């Protein structure tokens, strides 16, 4: 694990959420649920501009996703693939109050998830930017260029599809065996398991460079790391603007 990066994000997390009206346990779950509390206040939301009430947070640059926040859950919509995901804060009731009609029947994730997997490469750098590399359960490292992820595989922290193919188990079986709670695929089905852990992550299809970068907020939502994603995107946009202006 990158302990320095872990420490950085731990300090950042404490600073960002020091004033919240609730506490979470070691797994990020609500310790003492109170129905009067808003568990996704502004501090815990992806910033896309001014959003009033429960209106969807439409991305500033990305054109293919949006996030809608409620008191105990949030709804992610991949507008390209038309997939909808409901992310319920763990430690809150399983019943989803005021669920919109378009989200009825959607896959429900209890968040924050603690592990991820992917059979592709697109999601890897986004998750690394959020300090989530060490939470990889299994990856296909064939085309992954990240030295950190390659080291995680080499050290056995994350399972490898190369190892999986020699075991006689399919990718879907290995993802299940790994305990991955989130499997990021693309709309072409790369790395799909055909199970409820699959989430379509289409960052590379967005229309602009900053639009693609903003997908870090989509990935972050499954880990309740939108505040960190806001910082990551802000830095990325500032560097992009500086280069564009040079």
């Amino acid at each position: 694990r990158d302990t320095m990066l872990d420490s950085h994000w731990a300090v950042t997390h404490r600073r960002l959420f020091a004033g919240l009206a609730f506490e979470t346990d070691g797994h990020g779950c609500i310790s003492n649920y109170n129905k009067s509390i808003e568990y996704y206040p502004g501090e815990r939301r992806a910033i896309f501009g001014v959003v009033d009430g429960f209106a969807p947070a439409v991305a500033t640059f990305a054109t293919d996703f949006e996030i809608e926040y409620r008191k105990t859950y949030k709804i992610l919509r991949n507008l390209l693939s038309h997939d909808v995901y409901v992310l319920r804060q763990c430690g809150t009731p399983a019943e989803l109050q005021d669920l919109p009609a378009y989200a009825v029947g959607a896959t429900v994730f209890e968040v924050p998830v603690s592990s991820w997997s992917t059979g592709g490469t697109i999601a890897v750098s986004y998750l690394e930017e959020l300090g989530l590399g060490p939470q990889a359960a299994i990856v296909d490292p064939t085309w992954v260029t990240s030295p950190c992820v390659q080291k995680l595989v080499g050290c056995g922290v994350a399972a490898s599809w190369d190892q999986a193919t020699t075991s006689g188990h399919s990718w879907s079986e290995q993802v299940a065996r790994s305990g991955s709670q989130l499997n990021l695929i693309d709309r072409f089905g790369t790395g799909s398991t055909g199970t409820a852990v699959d989430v379509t992550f289409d960052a590379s299809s967005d229309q602009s460079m900053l639009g693609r970068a903003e997908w870090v907020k989509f990935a972050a939502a499954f880990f309740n790391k939108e505040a960190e994603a806001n910082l990551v995107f802000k830095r990325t946009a500032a560097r992009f603007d500086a280069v564009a202006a040079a």
Side-chain angles (χ1 to χ4, degrees):
R1 293 180 63 95
D2 188 335
T3 55
M4 183 176 294
L5 185 60
D6 288 348
S7 177
H8 163 75
W9 280 123
V11 171
T12 300
H13 186 86
R14 287 196 296 270
R15 289 174 178 172
L16 289 170
F17 302 133
L20 292 181
F22 56 87
E23 294 183 354
T24 57
D25 61 21
H27 301 289
C29 298
I30 302 303
S31 299
N32 295 290
Y33 172 70
N34 183 329
K35 66 179 181 180
S36 67
I37 293 178
E38 168 66 63
Y39 288 102
Y40 284 108
E43 298 93 327
R44 302 187 81 200
R45 299 186 181 193
I47 298 174
F48 299 125
V50 178
V51 179
D52 296 322
F54 291 143
V58 180
T60 304
F61 296 97
T63 59
D64 293 334
F65 79 90
E66 66 182 24
I67 308 175
E68 182 174 351
Y69 291 89
R70 299 293 175 117
K71 290 185 71 172
T72 62
Y73 64 92
K74 47 197 165 183
I75 307 168
L76 270 66
R77 301 177 73 181
N78 181 323
L79 303 177
L80 185 64
S81 66
H82 306 293
D83 291 319
V84 180
Y85 310 99
V86 176
L87 281 54
R88 179 179 62 83
Q89 169 65 55
C90 61
T92 64
E95 181 181 358
L96 301 170
Q97 296 288 338
D98 303 317
L99 186 68
Y102 74 82
V104 173
T107 301
V108 178
F109 288 82
E110 188 175 77
V111 295
V113 300
S114 60
S115 59
W116 60 271
S117 57
T118 185
T121 61
I122 296 170
V124 172
S125 60
Y126 291 86
L127 294 167
E128 281 194 300
E129 285 288 336
L130 295 168
L132 296 167
Q135 291 180 227
I138 183 170
V139 298
D140 179 351
T142 306
W143 305 109
V144 174
T145 58
S146 165
C148 293
V149 172
Q150 292 288 354
K151 187 172 183 179
L152 288 171
V153 170
C155 294
V157 175
S160 165
W161 178 236
D162 290 339
Q163 299 166 7
T165 56
T166 62
S167 70
H169 296 284
S170 69
W171 167 255
S172 298
E173 290 174 319
Q174 285 290 28
V175 170
R177 289 159 64 94
S178 75
S180 173
Q181 297 177 349
L182 170 68
N183 185 56
L184 293 165
I185 65 174
D186 57 32
R187 72 181 189 280
F188 304 109
T190 305
S192 173
T193 67
T195 68
V197 298
D198 287 352
V199 167
T200 309
F201 185 78
D202 285 319
S204 64
S205 298
D206 218 288
Q207 297 180 15
S208 68
M209 296 299 289
L210 286 179
R212 296 174 185 182
E214 197 166 28
W215 275 77
V216 69
K217 300 175 183 179
F218 183 99
F222 289 88
F223 300 87
N224 283 343
K225 283 185 170 288
E226 287 98 321
E228 289 90 335
N230 291 334
L231 296 177
V232 168
F233 180 73
K234 182 179 180 180
R235 290 196 299 264
T236 300
R239 292 196 298 268
F240 181 89
D241 290 342
V243 171

